[in-house]
Every structure is written in C-alpha cells, then in structure tokens.
C-alpha cells in the first residue's frame, strides 16, 4: 500500500469529494488533487501535513509506514 491509496481511502471514509478536499483543505484544484491520488504527481510535504491534521491521522499512516492511525 502507498499514500495514493491511503489518501483516497481517507477521503472516501469521510464521504468527501476530490473537489472538497482540494479546495477546502489544500487550496488547490481538483485536477491537481486527482493527480496525487493517481500518482501522476508527488504530494508536497505541506499537503501531507495538512491532510494528516485534517483527518487526524499521523503522516506515517498516510505514507503507509504504519497501520496505526
């Protein structure tokens, strides 16, 4: 597993759209966020931290270094 699947799973678990996460959490376009989920672009550290805080999980969890949230 990698962060692409984790950020997608977290988004879906919270019943969020790519658009809402992109605009309201990361302040980016939906297209760019979709590229993160597909792996077409690597996610910047600042976005990793923002998602970690938003979902209340560790960055290690998002990076799939641990299964402990």
């Amino acid at each position: 597993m990698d962060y692409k699947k984790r950020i997608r799973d977290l988004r879906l678990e919270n019943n969020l759209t790519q658009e809402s996460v992109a605009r309201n959490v990361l302040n980016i376009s939906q297209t760019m966020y979709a590229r993160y989920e597909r792996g077409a672009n690597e996610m910047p550290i600042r976005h990793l931290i923002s998602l970690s805080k938003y979902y209340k999980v560790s960055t290690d969890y998002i990076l799939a270094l641990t299964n402990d949230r």
Side-chain angles (χ1 to χ4, degrees):
M1 181 175 295
D2 57 15
Y3 80 86
K4 298 176 298 246
K5 180 162 176 24
R6 284 275 165 96
I7 62 172
R8 181 180 181 275
D9 289 348
L10 285 166
R11 179 177 59 77
L12 294 175
E13 285 172 17
N14 288 276
N15 297 315
L16 299 169
T17 64
Q18 288 182 342
E19 179 73 24
S20 66
V21 174
R23 297 276 181 210
N24 301 323
V25 180
L26 302 178
N27 198 31
I28 60 173
S29 69
Q30 177 276 329
T31 302
M32 181 55 73
Y33 182 79
R35 292 176 65 84
Y36 296 161
E37 282 193 5
R38 282 196 324 268
N41 282 73
E42 288 192 16
M43 185 170 48
I45 292 172
R46 69 181 183 277
H47 291 168
L48 170 65
I49 293 168
S50 294
L51 290 174
S52 171
K53 288 178 180 178
Y54 182 78
Y55 292 124
K56 296 181 174 75
V57 298
S58 71
T59 54
D60 282 353
Y61 178 77
I62 292 176
L63 295 172
L65 299 174
T66 183
N67 289 324
D68 297 330
R69 290 179 175 231

